[in-house]
Amino acid sequence: KNQVEQSPQSLIILEGKNCTLQCNYTVSPFSNLRWYKQDTGRGPVSLTIMTFSENTKSNGRYTATLDADTKQSSLHITASQLSDSASYICVVKYNNNDMRFGAGTRLTVKP
Amino acid sequence: KAGVTQTPRYLIKTRGQQVTLSCSPISGHRSVSWYQQTPGQGLQFLFEYFSETQRNKGNFPGRFSGRQFSNSRSEMNVSTLELGDSALYLCASSYGAQQGTQYFGPGTRLLVL
């Protein structure tokens, strides 16, 4: 069954700390994996897109990793800021046109 | 460059009615995708249009339909509304299909009473 699972479901960290969000998938054949950040009441914003051959991709303080062998991806946030409080959604595209969405991780950064 | 715009932003309808939502992509973008987002189901893909042709469709009933115009603007229609159709409907545009970065609009929040 084609699934995308994210963990943890929610996370609370203190401002300035680092954190890592996980995305595991079982979809096949893999096309690409995207991480999105969605602020409350707004549309998602693309953070990274990773294809099969890419292991790491950074976007500022966000670094995504992909292990296509184990079908795992992570999103690492460095030196968190209050504005990082949002839902982070992992989306995997497969079979060329199909896609599966993770349920998201709700991150809260506290001062 | 203006972002993706969606109208209306909020909408209240009653069961059985139909609704049309509009999406204007970023200038120059030819691909428009629609998504439904609910607290229980999360984000779900509805359909994608590219150059006025539907390229991909998610697992939604035929009550959900869409179209794209020659200027890349897109509309989504839901007929015979049900309570469960209450959701945030998001539109995203990209220059090309497949691998391109998608830019999302703010969404239309639909409430069905």
Side-chain angles (χ1 to χ4, degrees):
Chain A
K1 194 175 180 181
N2 292 311
Q3 298 276 21
V4 176
E5 304 212 346
Q6 291 187 243
S7 61
Q9 193 173 20
S10 62
L11 184 61
I12 300 174
I13 62 174
L14 292 176
E15 187 179 12
K17 297 295 186 183
N18 304 336
C19 68
T20 300
L21 315 180
Q22 288 293 138
C23 175
N24 297 338
Y25 61 93
T26 60
V27 300
S28 180
F30 176 85
S31 290
N32 63 52
L33 184 147
R34 306 171 187 228
W35 281 96
Y36 288 94
K37 176 188 176 189
Q38 185 174 22
D39 293 312
T40 302
R42 296 185 169 225
V45 173
S46 179
L47 295 175
T48 62
I49 303 174
M50 300 184 76
T51 57
F52 186 86
S53 59
E54 296 173 302
N55 299 110
T56 304
K57 188 169 270 192
S58 291
N59 178 0
R61 294 179 298 101
Y62 301 101
T63 299
T65 66
L66 173 65
D67 186 333
D69 291 331
T70 61
K71 297 188 176 181
Q72 295 180 329
S73 176
S74 66
L75 180 69
H76 186 75
I77 304 174
T78 305
S80 61
Q81 299 176 0
L82 298 179
S83 59
D84 292 331
S85 295
S87 287
Y88 292 84
I89 302 168
C90 170
V91 182
V92 183
K93 204 164 192 178
Y94 67 103
N95 220 17
N96 221 27
N97 265 331
D98 296 322
M99 63 179 73
R100 281 285 184 272
F101 297 85
T105 293
R106 178 71 208 172
L107 174 66
T108 302
V109 181
K110 293 198 167 183
Chain B
K1 216 179 208 183
V4 177
T5 58
Q6 291 187 244
T7 57
R9 291 294 312 279
Y10 304 92
L11 202 51
I12 299 176
K13 291 285 188 178
T14 56
R15 278 180 298 175
Q17 287 187 308
Q18 68 94 27
V19 67
T20 299
L21 312 181
S22 180
C23 171
S24 292
I26 291 173
S27 177
H29 284 191
R30 295 162 64 190
S31 172
V32 173
S33 298
W34 288 91
Y35 301 85
Q36 182 196 66
Q37 188 175 36
T38 60
Q41 298 292 326
L43 262 174
Q44 296 185 88
F45 172 72
L46 281 157
F47 25 66
E48 178 192 6
Y49 287 89
F50 185 81
S51 293
E52 301 179 67
T53 301
Q54 186 180 89
R55 291 177 59 94
N56 198 10
K57 190 177 189 303
N59 190 26
F60 277 80
R63 299 185 297 107
F64 291 81
S65 63
R67 58 178 175 166
Q68 186 180 34
F69 302 96
S70 57
N71 61 358
S72 294
R73 191 177 70 84
S74 177
E75 286 182 349
M76 191 195 98
N77 185 276
V78 187
S79 62
T80 320
L81 284 166
E82 300 177 0
L83 296 180
D85 296 332
S86 294
L88 179 67
Y89 290 89
L90 292 160
C91 161
S93 78
S94 62
Y95 177 73
Q98 304 296 329
Q99 308 290 339
T101 298
Q102 286 188 315
Y103 297 86
F104 281 81
T108 293
R109 186 162 294 282
L110 171 66
L111 177 62
V112 182
L113 301 175

